[in-house]
Every structure is written in structure tokens, then in C-alpha cells.
Amino acid sequence: MKKILAFALAALVAGSATAQTSRRTLPSKASSAAKPAPSGALARPKLVVGIVVDQMRYDYLYRYWSKFGTGGFRRLLGEGFSFESCHYNYVPTYTGPGHASIYTGATPSVNGIVGNNWFERETGRATYVTEDKTVQGVGSSGAAGQQSPRHMLTTTITDELRLATNFQSKVIGVCIKDRGSILPAGHAATAAYWYDGGNGSFISSTFYQKTLPDWVVKFNQRGLATKYLSRTWNTLRPIAEYTESSPDNVAWEAAFKGEAAPVFPHNLPAISGVPAAIVDKDNLPGPASQTAADGKAASATPKAGATPANAATPNLGLLPSTPFGNTITTDLALEAIRAEQLGQRGITDFLALSYSSTDYVGHQFGPNSIEVEDTYLRLDQELTRLFETLDKTVGKGQTLVFLTADHGAAHSPDFLRAHRLPAGAVGASIMRDTLQNRLVRRHGAGNWVLSYENQQVYLNRTLASEKKIKLADLAEEVVQVMVQLPGVSRALTAEDIQKSHWESGTLMFLENGYYPKRCGDVLVVLEPGWYEAYSFPAKGTTHGESWAYDTHVPLLFWGWHVKHGESAAPVQVVDIAATLARFLHLQEPSGCTGVPLVEVLK
């Protein structure tokens, strides 16, 4: 009898272990990348570069394939390892949560980054994901510099590298967006830099340092933002070759303010107020290898003095909405590698690099626009410039690179409807006001809906208590109202989220994105093809849902100890941090729920 019980217990334990690993069954061979070097020194790359492309749908890798050069995306796919079925596993799929998920290896339910903004019940107002009024800007006197990672509740893989090396490793974040720099760089970062459209400079905050390093000051003094806006944005190739995109002038694209139509060429000097530069080979925006539409070579450093000194105050905040926002991001990243000697100091460093202009352009023009295609063709050249620099400064095969995206994007509803495909847009303010009016009619006057953010309803709990209405009952009423609205697939109360558990499907996304201290009382799911619009008719696109076009993103590893290959096995973005931990012999981030992707570690 004892033997029978022992066998039964062993079978039960084995079955439990199988259930825990059934989510993704991958080979478990020992990793050659995880073994110490023969000399006894621990084998680590000299530099890790994490590249996050904002709003990059997975299919962009192949949609523009024939027009990419050989040194950017094609090099990653041709020499690296691609996970072809990588998805996010939570909602909302926004920039802040995406960057946090990549670097913490955890969903918002654990890392606390539930959106780019959320409603704070303690203060009765919305807060921004990296907002921190306890710090001051460095390089900027405004609110743009009052930022830090304090809202993020867990460590990042970059934090773990700093801890493992007794803070000798350098970790630097670079991005146009503050949240795209700050969250990946982590709490213990050496520095994080982001763009201030008010002064056209890269800035930081006192969370990291009291003053900008001399190299950043000198970089800002070059005035690249002004110079990149001093020339018209034309297509990189003849416009007739952009056969992967819709015609240039369609109703669902948004024009720049001051433009009559959203068409090429985009006269950036006229739009931004930056005086036009003299057009010659020395002052065209972009890397030296770039070929402008007029066939002239482009220089990485525009000619000094091309912009008159007495120019009126320009709108330098326009730069991120052009592909040259990615150009200046690469410029700063390469200068950081040089000035900080990243990967050249005998210890592993980490550059957290995010490209944001793809998101700005995507929001304005939509995934099927020539503007988006042109932005990706130019980004491909930026990647080439980056990889060539890494080869020369750090050494071929000495940098571990991964590339992914913080979310995808939906097609523009009018584009889909023009092709008889189901789609639509809802207005967040309309949904909020409709719900508010219904509750007033049922329960009397009062501010029943405090906020509608991230497809979540924040109810006035104090008012409900005063009216002797149970919060659970009020939330159920809200569910019944919301599911009747156009474009809404379903709604669920927060109480149901907390009392249940889902391993897959739509409700799993809600559960993984729910952190009770920051989320609402009712969570809403939109129909496939529908999204929240902030103007009507809806222009461009957005993202945020649990459908594949928002969750499916590229995941490429390249460089140090990475063999060429690809996998169709389903993987999740939270697995990236766990995989990096295995590559680098680090403890996983404190809230990490991902697993190492052993196929790339073989």
C-alpha cells in the first residue's frame, strides 16, 4: 500500500509540473550561451542593446521586405533568430505598459503600469505613467523633466544587471518619449534621456543626476532638431514605388496642422516655423548612407548655420511626428556609445533604445499610408547605421541585440470599411457621458463616473455609499449599460476579475492587465476592428485592444551567441526579460512571470 501511495504521489507531482509548463513546450537543452568561457571568465556580451519600435506590427517585417536594405531588418532576420508568434498577454496594449512588460518580464497586474495614464483615487485626478513631482528636470525647466520610474513596482532586467555587477555596468535609456526611455532603463539606471519638444533638446531629471553630462550638452548644442525640420519631408524612393500602401491622399489620414491635405511632400519648414535650409549635400537630414528623394547624398551632421539665427520660435515638437525623430534618436544613441564607452570597458553595459516616430506617424496616417512605409524604410537605414557602429566600436558578434515592439496597431476603420471589412470607432467621452446620463436617470443627480480611462470605468464609490447602493450592484448595472453600446463586445466587473482566473482568451488579457489599486470598477472589451477615437471621423489609427493586430509583434535576437533560425512556437513578450537573464547569468526581475526562450539559447 505504501508503494502504491508513493507512486500515486509521484504521478501527481509530475502531472502538476507538466501542467505548469504546458503553456509553451520548447526544447530544454543546455544553452551554450549560458556556459562560462573556457578561461574561467564568465561569458557575457560586451554590450546589450534592447530596441523597441513603437507601434510596429509584426507584418511590417515582411510587408516592406523587398524595399529594405541588407544592413537593417534583413540583417537581423538573416543572421539572427526570429520568434514569429510573439504576443502580448494583457490589455491595454499601450506604450507605457509595453515597455514595462518587456523589461520587467511581468504584466501590469504585477508591475503596476496599467496604462500611459490612469485615475488616482487618492488624489482624484489622472496621473501620467512616469510623472514624478518630487524631481526636477535636468536640461529643462518645465514639467517635461519631472519624470521617473517611481510608479513601476518591480525591478527590470536592466536593474538586475546593475545589481549583479555591483553597479559597475552602465545602463542608459534613449528615446524621444520619456516613458520609452525611463521604464526600460529601470530604477537603478545610470541615466535616461528623452526629447523635450519645447527646446528641441534631450533632457533628463534629478532622479538620475543633477546636471547633464558634457557630451549631452554638446549634442544638444548642435541644434539637430532645428536642422532636421529645416527641409521638406519627401519620399525616400519615387512615390510610385510605394506599392505596399494606399494612395497618398485618402480620407482616413490626418494632415499636419497648416497643410491642406495629408500628401507628400510635407513642407516641414512651413509647418514647424523653422526656416528652410539651403539644400545641398551637407545639410540634408539623415545618415550619410541615406539617399534623398532628389538623389543627393545626406549627411549625418547638417551644415552649421543653415538656419538663420533670428528665426522665430519654431515648433520643435513636430520632430517626433516625422521619420527624423528616429534619426536624432540614433544620433544620440551613437554618441552615448562613444562618450560613455558602452561595451568597451571590460564589463557588460546595456543601451535601452526605443524608436518613437513610428508611433507618431502611425497614429496620424494609419498603417497603410505611404508615410508609415517611408518611415520604416528610413528606420531600416537607422538600424544599419547602428549595427555598423556596433561592429566597429564593440566588435562583430560582441553585442547582444533584441528587437521588438511595445504594441501593434489597428487598421483605420474607414480603410477597412472601404474594402467591406468590419470595423468602427467609439468615442471615450461619448461612452462616459452616455453612462453618466443613464446612472443619473436611475439614481439621481451626482458625478457617478469619475473617469473612463484605458477602457475602464471608475465609479464614484463615495457617492454610491451615500446613496446606499452597493458597489457590486452599481458595477453590474454599468456592465448592462456598456454591453448595449455600439462596438462593445463585453464588459466585466473588477470583482469578477479578482474572483476568477483564466489561462487564455479575452478574459485572460483583462486579468493580466488588472492591478486593483490603479484600475477601474468595470472593464470593457471592444469588438475586433473597433478602437477608441478622439475625433470624428476617425483619422489614422490607434491601439490598446487584445486582438492580434495589437498584440502580435516582432521578436528578434541577434549578435552575441545567437544562431540563425526561427520558431513558430507561441511565446509572450514577458519571456524576453527571462531570456536575457539566462543569457547574462542574472536573477530574473523581481516580478518576472516569463520563461526563458530556450530555442534561442541553444
mmCIF file of all heavy atoms in Angstrom, residues 374-399:
data_model
loop_
_atom_site.group_PDB
_atom_site.id
_atom_site.type_symbol
_atom_site.label_atom_id
_atom_site.label_comp_id
_atom_site.label_asym_id
_atom_site.label_seq_id
_atom_site.Cartn_x
_atom_site.Cartn_y
_atom_site.Cartn_z
ATOM 1 N N ASP A 374 7.352 54.919 -45.624
ATOM 2 C CA ASP A 374 8.575 55.701 -45.750
ATOM 3 C C ASP A 374 9.332 55.771 -44.429
ATOM 4 O O ASP A 374 10.563 55.697 -44.394
ATOM 5 C CB ASP A 374 8.243 57.115 -46.232
ATOM 6 C CG ASP A 374 9.478 57.861 -46.696
ATOM 7 O OD1 ASP A 374 10.074 57.454 -47.715
ATOM 8 O OD2 ASP A 374 9.862 58.850 -46.035
ATOM 9 N N THR A 375 8.590 55.890 -43.341
ATOM 10 C CA THR A 375 9.220 55.941 -42.017
ATOM 11 C C THR A 375 9.946 54.640 -41.709
ATOM 12 O O THR A 375 11.050 54.647 -41.140
ATOM 13 C CB THR A 375 8.160 56.232 -40.942
ATOM 14 O OG1 THR A 375 7.577 57.520 -41.196
ATOM 15 C CG2 THR A 375 8.762 56.239 -39.545
ATOM 16 N N TYR A 376 9.378 53.497 -42.110
ATOM 17 C CA TYR A 376 10.049 52.223 -41.859
ATOM 18 C C TYR A 376 11.240 52.011 -42.784
ATOM 19 O O TYR A 376 12.258 51.421 -42.371
ATOM 20 C CB TYR A 376 9.054 51.057 -41.955
ATOM 21 C CG TYR A 376 8.358 50.845 -40.635
ATOM 22 C CD1 TYR A 376 7.170 51.488 -40.349
ATOM 23 C CD2 TYR A 376 8.937 50.057 -39.645
ATOM 24 C CE1 TYR A 376 6.542 51.343 -39.123
ATOM 25 C CE2 TYR A 376 8.325 49.891 -38.416
ATOM 26 C CZ TYR A 376 7.128 50.547 -38.156
ATOM 27 O OH TYR A 376 6.532 50.401 -36.930
ATOM 28 N N LEU A 377 11.160 52.485 -44.006
ATOM 29 C CA LEU A 377 12.326 52.385 -44.886
ATOM 30 C C LEU A 377 13.477 53.222 -44.349
ATOM 31 O O LEU A 377 14.645 52.821 -44.416
ATOM 32 C CB LEU A 377 11.958 52.838 -46.298
ATOM 33 C CG LEU A 377 10.880 52.022 -47.024
ATOM 34 C CD1 LEU A 377 10.736 52.491 -48.467
ATOM 35 C CD2 LEU A 377 11.175 50.533 -46.969
ATOM 36 N N ARG A 378 13.158 54.365 -43.788
ATOM 37 C CA ARG A 378 14.197 55.207 -43.191
ATOM 38 C C ARG A 378 14.695 54.616 -41.863
ATOM 39 O O ARG A 378 15.891 54.699 -41.544
ATOM 40 C CB ARG A 378 13.661 56.624 -42.988
ATOM 41 C CG ARG A 378 13.413 57.373 -44.300
ATOM 42 C CD ARG A 378 12.792 58.738 -44.060
ATOM 43 N NE ARG A 378 12.493 59.438 -45.302
ATOM 44 C CZ ARG A 378 13.335 60.216 -45.968
ATOM 45 N NH1 ARG A 378 14.564 60.385 -45.500
ATOM 46 N NH2 ARG A 378 12.976 60.824 -47.084
ATOM 47 N N LEU A 379 13.799 53.998 -41.093
ATOM 48 C CA LEU A 379 14.233 53.343 -39.859
ATOM 49 C C LEU A 379 15.185 52.196 -40.180
ATOM 50 O O LEU A 379 16.154 51.952 -39.439
ATOM 51 C CB LEU A 379 13.026 52.829 -39.083
ATOM 52 C CG LEU A 379 13.339 52.004 -37.822
ATOM 53 C CD1 LEU A 379 14.150 52.816 -36.811
ATOM 54 C CD2 LEU A 379 12.046 51.487 -37.178
ATOM 55 N N ASP A 380 14.928 51.488 -41.254
ATOM 56 C CA ASP A 380 15.823 50.419 -41.684
ATOM 57 C C ASP A 380 17.237 50.950 -41.873
ATOM 58 O O ASP A 380 18.224 50.295 -41.506
ATOM 59 C CB ASP A 380 15.287 49.824 -42.989
ATOM 60 C CG ASP A 380 16.082 48.625 -43.451
ATOM 61 O OD1 ASP A 380 16.217 47.655 -42.691
ATOM 62 O OD2 ASP A 380 16.594 48.669 -44.590
ATOM 63 N N GLN A 381 17.365 52.149 -42.409
ATOM 64 C CA GLN A 381 18.683 52.761 -42.576
ATOM 65 C C GLN A 381 19.297 53.162 -41.235
ATOM 66 O O GLN A 381 20.514 53.092 -41.062
ATOM 67 C CB GLN A 381 18.580 53.977 -43.499
ATOM 68 C CG GLN A 381 18.180 53.635 -44.923
ATOM 69 C CD GLN A 381 18.237 54.831 -45.862
ATOM 70 O OE1 GLN A 381 18.128 55.973 -45.415
ATOM 71 N NE2 GLN A 381 18.399 54.579 -47.145
ATOM 72 N N GLU A 382 18.442 53.580 -40.298
ATOM 73 C CA GLU A 382 18.955 53.910 -38.965
ATOM 74 C C GLU A 382 19.518 52.671 -38.279
ATOM 75 O O GLU A 382 20.552 52.720 -37.598
ATOM 76 C CB GLU A 382 17.848 54.535 -38.117
ATOM 77 C CG GLU A 382 17.328 55.863 -38.613
ATOM 78 C CD GLU A 382 18.417 56.884 -38.801
ATOM 79 O OE1 GLU A 382 19.348 56.938 -37.985
ATOM 80 O OE2 GLU A 382 18.352 57.636 -39.798
ATOM 81 N N LEU A 383 18.839 51.527 -38.445
ATOM 82 C CA LEU A 383 19.333 50.285 -37.862
ATOM 83 C C LEU A 383 20.665 49.885 -38.492
ATOM 84 O O LEU A 383 21.581 49.428 -37.800
ATOM 85 C CB LEU A 383 18.302 49.170 -38.040
ATOM 86 C CG LEU A 383 16.981 49.344 -37.283
ATOM 87 C CD1 LEU A 383 16.030 48.194 -37.605
ATOM 88 C CD2 LEU A 383 17.209 49.434 -35.781
ATOM 89 N N THR A 384 20.764 50.077 -39.792
ATOM 90 C CA THR A 384 22.036 49.792 -40.472
ATOM 91 C C THR A 384 23.157 50.643 -39.883
ATOM 92 O O THR A 384 24.255 50.141 -39.597
ATOM 93 C CB THR A 384 21.904 50.074 -41.978
ATOM 94 O OG1 THR A 384 20.915 49.211 -42.537
ATOM 95 C CG2 THR A 384 23.234 49.859 -42.685
ATOM 96 N N ARG A 385 22.875 51.903 -39.702
ATOM 97 C CA ARG A 385 23.879 52.811 -39.123
ATOM 98 C C ARG A 385 24.268 52.362 -37.712
ATOM 99 O O ARG A 385 25.455 52.372 -37.346
ATOM 100 C CB ARG A 385 23.301 54.230 -39.095
ATOM 101 C CG ARG A 385 24.267 55.309 -38.679
ATOM 102 C CD ARG A 385 23.844 56.672 -39.194
ATOM 103 N NE ARG A 385 22.605 57.160 -38.634
ATOM 104 C CZ ARG A 385 22.499 58.225 -37.837
ATOM 105 N NH1 ARG A 385 23.586 58.892 -37.485
ATOM 106 N NH2 ARG A 385 21.336 58.637 -37.406
ATOM 107 N N LEU A 386 23.290 51.936 -36.929
ATOM 108 C CA LEU A 386 23.548 51.466 -35.572
ATOM 109 C C LEU A 386 24.402 50.209 -35.580
ATOM 110 O O LEU A 386 25.415 50.112 -34.860
ATOM 111 C CB LEU A 386 22.217 51.206 -34.854
ATOM 112 C CG LEU A 386 22.303 50.536 -33.483
ATOM 113 C CD1 LEU A 386 22.984 51.456 -32.474
ATOM 114 C CD2 LEU A 386 20.909 50.147 -32.992
ATOM 115 N N PHE A 387 24.018 49.224 -36.393
ATOM 116 C CA PHE A 387 24.731 47.944 -36.393
ATOM 117 C C PHE A 387 26.157 48.093 -36.911
ATOM 118 O O PHE A 387 27.073 47.441 -36.403
ATOM 119 C CB PHE A 387 23.964 46.915 -37.228
ATOM 120 C CG PHE A 387 22.579 46.623 -36.716
ATOM 121 C CD1 PHE A 387 21.578 46.194 -37.570
ATOM 122 C CD2 PHE A 387 22.262 46.793 -35.380
ATOM 123 C CE1 PHE A 387 20.305 45.930 -37.112
ATOM 124 C CE2 PHE A 387 20.983 46.541 -34.896
ATOM 125 C CZ PHE A 387 19.997 46.106 -35.775
ATOM 126 N N GLU A 388 26.345 48.947 -37.907
ATOM 127 C CA GLU A 388 27.712 49.173 -38.415
ATOM 128 C C GLU A 388 28.591 49.808 -37.339
ATOM 129 O O GLU A 388 29.774 49.468 -37.220
ATOM 130 C CB GLU A 388 27.652 50.058 -39.655
ATOM 131 C CG GLU A 388 27.087 49.343 -40.883
ATOM 132 C CD GLU A 388 26.953 50.265 -42.090
ATOM 133 O OE1 GLU A 388 27.123 51.497 -41.915
ATOM 134 O OE2 GLU A 388 26.696 49.765 -43.205
ATOM 135 N N THR A 389 28.002 50.698 -36.558
ATOM 136 C CA THR A 389 28.768 51.324 -35.468
ATOM 137 C C THR A 389 29.112 50.303 -34.395
ATOM 138 O O THR A 389 30.236 50.293 -33.860
ATOM 139 C CB THR A 389 27.979 52.488 -34.855
ATOM 140 O OG1 THR A 389 27.740 53.478 -35.865
ATOM 141 C CG2 THR A 389 28.746 53.116 -33.703
ATOM 142 N N LEU A 390 28.175 49.432 -34.069
ATOM 143 C CA LEU A 390 28.437 48.393 -33.073
ATOM 144 C C LEU A 390 29.561 47.467 -33.544
ATOM 145 O O LEU A 390 30.421 47.070 -32.750
ATOM 146 C CB LEU A 390 27.168 47.590 -32.794
ATOM 147 C CG LEU A 390 26.032 48.337 -32.088
ATOM 148 C CD1 LEU A 390 24.789 47.464 -32.000
ATOM 149 C CD2 LEU A 390 26.464 48.792 -30.698
ATOM 150 N N ASP A 391 29.547 47.110 -34.826
ATOM 151 C CA ASP A 391 30.611 46.263 -35.363
ATOM 152 C C ASP A 391 31.983 46.911 -35.193
ATOM 153 O O ASP A 391 32.964 46.256 -34.845
ATOM 154 C CB ASP A 391 30.372 45.996 -36.859
ATOM 155 C CG ASP A 391 29.232 45.023 -37.108
ATOM 156 O OD1 ASP A 391 28.830 44.316 -36.175
ATOM 157 O OD2 ASP A 391 28.747 44.978 -38.260
ATOM 158 N N LYS A 392 32.044 48.218 -35.436
ATOM 159 C CA LYS A 392 33.326 48.923 -35.415
ATOM 160 C C LYS A 392 33.804 49.232 -34.001
ATOM 161 O O LYS A 392 35.006 49.165 -33.727
ATOM 162 C CB LYS A 392 33.203 50.231 -36.204
ATOM 163 C CG LYS A 392 32.988 50.043 -37.695
ATOM 164 C CD LYS A 392 32.772 51.372 -38.399
ATOM 165 C CE LYS A 392 32.506 51.186 -39.890
ATOM 166 N NZ LYS A 392 32.226 52.488 -40.569
ATOM 167 N N THR A 393 32.876 49.587 -33.104
ATOM 168 C CA THR A 393 33.290 50.040 -31.776
ATOM 169 C C THR A 393 33.324 48.921 -30.737
ATOM 170 O O THR A 393 34.263 48.834 -29.945
ATOM 171 C CB THR A 393 32.361 51.153 -31.276
ATOM 172 O OG1 THR A 393 31.011 50.672 -31.232
ATOM 173 C CG2 THR A 393 32.428 52.373 -32.167
ATOM 174 N N VAL A 394 32.318 48.078 -30.733
ATOM 175 C CA VAL A 394 32.248 46.996 -29.738
ATOM 176 C C VAL A 394 32.852 45.715 -30.290
ATOM 177 O O VAL A 394 33.435 44.922 -29.558
ATOM 178 C CB VAL A 394 30.779 46.767 -29.305
ATOM 179 C CG1 VAL A 394 30.690 45.677 -28.239
ATOM 180 C CG2 VAL A 394 30.161 48.064 -28.774
ATOM 181 N N GLY A 395 32.718 45.514 -31.592
ATOM 182 C CA GLY A 395 33.259 44.320 -32.225
ATOM 183 C C GLY A 395 32.153 43.434 -32.762
ATOM 184 O O GLY A 395 31.100 43.294 -32.137
ATOM 185 N N LYS A 396 32.396 42.832 -33.922
ATOM 186 C CA LYS A 396 31.390 41.952 -34.507
ATOM 187 C C LYS A 396 31.110 40.771 -33.579
ATOM 188 O O LYS A 396 32.025 40.140 -33.069
ATOM 189 C CB LYS A 396 31.852 41.455 -35.871
ATOM 190 C CG LYS A 396 31.837 42.521 -36.955
ATOM 191 C CD LYS A 396 32.150 41.930 -38.326
ATOM 192 C CE LYS A 396 32.032 43.000 -39.406
ATOM 193 N NZ LYS A 396 32.306 42.447 -40.763
ATOM 194 N N GLY A 397 29.832 40.515 -33.376
ATOM 195 C CA GLY A 397 29.440 39.392 -32.540
ATOM 196 C C GLY A 397 29.588 39.618 -31.054
ATOM 197 O O GLY A 397 29.347 38.706 -30.258
ATOM 198 N N GLN A 398 29.956 40.822 -30.635
ATOM 199 C CA GLN A 398 30.176 41.093 -29.216
ATOM 200 C C GLN A 398 28.988 41.791 -28.549
ATOM 201 O O GLN A 398 28.990 41.976 -27.338
ATOM 202 C CB GLN A 398 31.425 41.965 -29.046
ATOM 203 C CG GLN A 398 32.702 41.305 -29.533
ATOM 204 C CD GLN A 398 32.957 39.982 -28.841
ATOM 205 O OE1 GLN A 398 32.952 39.895 -27.618
ATOM 206 N NE2 GLN A 398 33.155 38.934 -29.622
ATOM 207 N N THR A 399 27.987 42.193 -29.336
ATOM 208 C CA THR A 399 26.796 42.851 -28.795
ATOM 209 C C THR A 399 25.606 41.921 -28.929
ATOM 210 O O THR A 399 25.389 41.319 -29.988
ATOM 211 C CB THR A 399 26.499 44.155 -29.551
ATOM 212 O OG1 THR A 399 27.626 45.022 -29.461
ATOM 213 C CG2 THR A 399 25.280 44.852 -28.967
#
